[in-house]
């Protein structure tokens, strides 16, 4: 689903996606409408503009995640401001790409977002990880440090996720198939009651697994 208030941009993105073989199940120029139609359209990935005429993209993310907890959101914004990026990620965005990105970079970001990777415009990934590390040093509520029972392999995969490695890189490092790595990540998400790789990365850093 493509959500952007500029018709030419929205239609252009939808056309590029369709030509690349993706099924565009819906488009919208307003945030509230996007949240309203998402449950029926059931998109796997939402390409979302940060600034919309009615509500902010951050509010849209929260609404989408309430309706469709497993949905993956790729922010596509003209703004690369640090606070905008952090607000979007904290709300549940899977990735963040500035609109100056080229078509090939955009389509690669959509593909990786659909696969569960955390995708960021170059220079922003370090900012997001830095913020997670800062949050990891804030006091935790009682019981927050209690670790669910992960297998040795799940912990190994989680450690590599925390280092920012893609599923393909993890598979090569551990001698596993891409599908097996995805299965380990999905099992870990379920055990930790998390929704996407961004939340998983934060969790791993909080546990010191990126050292």
């Amino acid at each position: 689903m493509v959500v952007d208030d500029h018709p030419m941009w929205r239609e252009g993105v939808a056309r590029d996606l369709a030509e690349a073989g993706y099924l565009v199940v819906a488009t919208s120029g307003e945030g509230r409408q996007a949240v309203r139609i998402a449950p029926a359209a059931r998109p796997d990935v939402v390409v979302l503009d940060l600034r919309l005429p009615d509500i902010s993209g951050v509010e849209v993310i929260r609404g989408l995640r309430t309706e469709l907890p497993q949905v993956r959101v790729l922010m596509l914004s003209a703004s690369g401001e640090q606070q905008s990026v952090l607000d979007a990620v904290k709300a549940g965005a899977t990735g963040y790409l500035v609109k100056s990105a080229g078509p090939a970079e955009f389509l690669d970001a959509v593909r990786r977002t659909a696969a569960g990777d955390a995708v960021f415009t170059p220079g922003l990934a370090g900012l997001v990880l830095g913020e997670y590390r800062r949050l990891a040093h804030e006091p935790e509520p009682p019981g927050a440090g209690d670790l669910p029972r992960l297998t040795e392999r799940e912990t190994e995969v989680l450690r590599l996720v925390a280092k920012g490695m893609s599923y393909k890189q993890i598979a090569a490092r551990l001698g596993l198939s891409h599908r097996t790595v995805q299965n380990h990540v999905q099992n870990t998400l379920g055990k930790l009651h998390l929704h996407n790789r961004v939340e998983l990365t934060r969790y791993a850093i909080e546990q010191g697994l990126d050292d």
Side-chain angles (χ1 to χ4, degrees):
M1 181 163 77
V2 179
V3 185
D4 193 295
D5 63 325
H6 294 94
M8 287 183 64
W9 182 271
R10 183 173 68 246
E11 291 165 12
V13 168
R15 184 174 59 251
D16 288 347
L17 288 168
E19 289 176 354
Y22 292 98
L23 174 63
V24 180
V25 295
T27 62
S28 177
E30 296 183 350
R32 290 192 182 91
Q33 182 190 49
V35 174
R36 190 168 63 249
I37 66 177
R42 301 196 66 79
D44 296 309
V45 174
V46 176
V47 177
L48 174 65
D49 189 16
L50 181 68
R51 306 193 190 284
L52 296 166
D54 52 350
I55 59 176
S56 72
V58 170
E59 291 177 271
V60 175
I61 296 172
R62 295 192 183 112
L64 290 171
R65 295 296 300 281
T66 298
E67 297 291 337
L68 298 169
Q70 301 301 323
V71 75
R72 289 164 179 158
V73 180
L74 175 64
M75 300 299 296
L76 192 60
S77 173
S79 171
E81 295 176 8
Q82 293 187 3
Q83 197 56 53
S84 298
V85 178
L86 295 176
D87 287 346
V89 172
K90 287 176 184 176
T94 313
Y96 194 107
L97 200 65
V98 295
K99 286 186 173 180
S100 57
E105 186 180 358
F106 165 65
L107 291 172
D108 181 62
V110 171
R111 179 187 61 78
R112 291 175 57 201
T113 298
D117 281 352
V119 182
F120 296 96
T121 291
L124 296 182
L127 164 71
V128 174
L129 289 175
E131 176 68 3
Y132 283 167
R133 290 191 175 95
R134 184 188 71 76
L135 291 171
H137 288 90
E138 293 180 352
E140 292 185 341
D146 297 339
L147 281 170
R149 299 179 72 86
L150 299 180
T151 66
E152 184 177 341
R153 180 65 88 185
E154 287 168 350
T155 303
E156 196 173 14
V157 170
L158 183 57
R159 191 182 299 277
L160 296 178
V161 167
K163 294 179 183 296
M165 294 177 68
S166 69
Y167 290 167
K168 185 175 181 180
Q169 291 170 323
I170 294 172
R173 170 74 69 86
L174 300 180
L176 302 172
S177 71
H178 185 277
R179 173 65 62 185
T180 299
V181 172
Q182 282 186 314
N183 289 341
H184 281 309
V185 171
Q186 289 303 315
N187 290 340
T188 303
L189 287 171
K191 288 183 178 181
L192 301 177
H193 305 292
L194 301 175
H195 297 103
N196 56 44
R197 180 168 172 157
V198 176
E199 293 180 2
L200 192 64
T201 301
R202 176 178 174 178
Y203 172 86
I205 291 171
E206 287 172 348
Q207 300 302 328
L209 296 176
D210 62 322
D211 294 334

